[in-house]
Amino acid sequence: MLYSEKVMDHFQNPRNVGKMEDASGVGEVGNAVCGDIMRMYIKVENDIITDVKFITFGCGSAIATSSMATEMIKGHSVEEALSLSNKAVVEALDGLPAHKIHCSVLAEEAVKAAVKDYYDRNGIEYDPELFKDCGNCEHCHKG
C-alpha cells in the first residue's frame, strides 16, 4: 500500500480545517513546483496554542501532513510548536512515500510562518535563525 492508514485517515477526515478570523498568527507557504499552498492559523493564549486551523490546496499528502501538524501543536507552547520537525510529522503518519516528503516540510514551514507572524504582531523578539529555510532546498525549491 502506498499510503498508511493514518495518512488516509487524515486525508479523508482532516482535523482543524478552516479559517480563523481572530487568529494570533497566520502563516502561508507554498511550493511552486507541486503547486501546494498551506495556510495555518494559530490562536495563542498565555504562550499556549489553544486553537489551530488550516486551509491547504494540494494533494492528499499535503492535506494529511497539515492535519497531523495541527494535531501535534494544539495545546502546546509556541516554543514546542517551533521545534516540530517534518520528520516528526512523517513518523506520526506512519511514513510517506519519498516523493511526498516535501509535503511534510511544507507543514513544518507553515507552522513556523504562523509563529513568526504571531511574534511580529506582538513585538516579541526572536532569533531570525529559527525561521531560516530548512536547508533541504531540493525538496521545496527545485528550479
Side-chain angles (χ1 to χ4, degrees):
M1 185 160 108
L2 193 57
Y3 293 106
S4 72
E5 284 182 33
K6 282 188 184 176
V7 171
M8 293 306 297
D9 180 40
H10 277 268
F11 166 59
Q12 293 170 335
N13 308 291
R15 282 60 149 184
N16 308 306
V17 176
K19 282 175 115 168
M20 187 185 299
E21 297 302 327
D22 60 344
S24 306
V26 181
E28 184 172 311
V29 295
N31 182 324
V33 177
C34 65
D36 293 345
I37 299 170
M38 291 182 189
R39 183 177 296 140
M40 190 91 46
Y41 303 85
I42 58 173
K43 180 82 175 156
V44 181
E45 293 171 22
N46 300 319
D47 198 47
I48 300 295
I49 296 173
T50 57
D51 198 10
V52 57
K53 300 272 187 222
F54 79 92
I55 297 175
T56 292
F57 300 96
C59 66
S61 295
I63 292 166
T65 56
S66 299
S67 174
M68 181 57 84
T70 63
E71 288 286 277
M72 293 174 78
I73 66 169
K74 194 175 195 175
H76 292 272
S77 72
V78 174
E79 197 170 293
E80 286 174 301
L82 274 181
S83 69
L84 178 73
S85 71
N86 73 297
K87 287 184 179 72
V89 173
V90 171
E91 286 171 13
L93 287 168
D94 294 335
L96 279 175
H99 67 284
K100 292 295 183 180
I101 296 293
H102 69 271
C103 297
S104 64
V105 173
L106 215 53
E108 174 189 329
E109 289 178 347
V111 169
K112 285 184 175 164
V115 170
K116 183 179 184 301
D117 184 51
Y118 164 68
Y119 283 167
D120 288 342
R121 287 183 190 201
N122 291 280
I124 298 169
E125 287 189 33
Y126 56 83
D127 180 356
E129 290 292 314
L130 290 171
F131 300 100
K132 288 227 188 254
D133 282 345
C134 69
N136 202 349
C137 295
E138 65 268 14
H139 277 304
C140 306
H141 309 289
K142 293 178 189 163

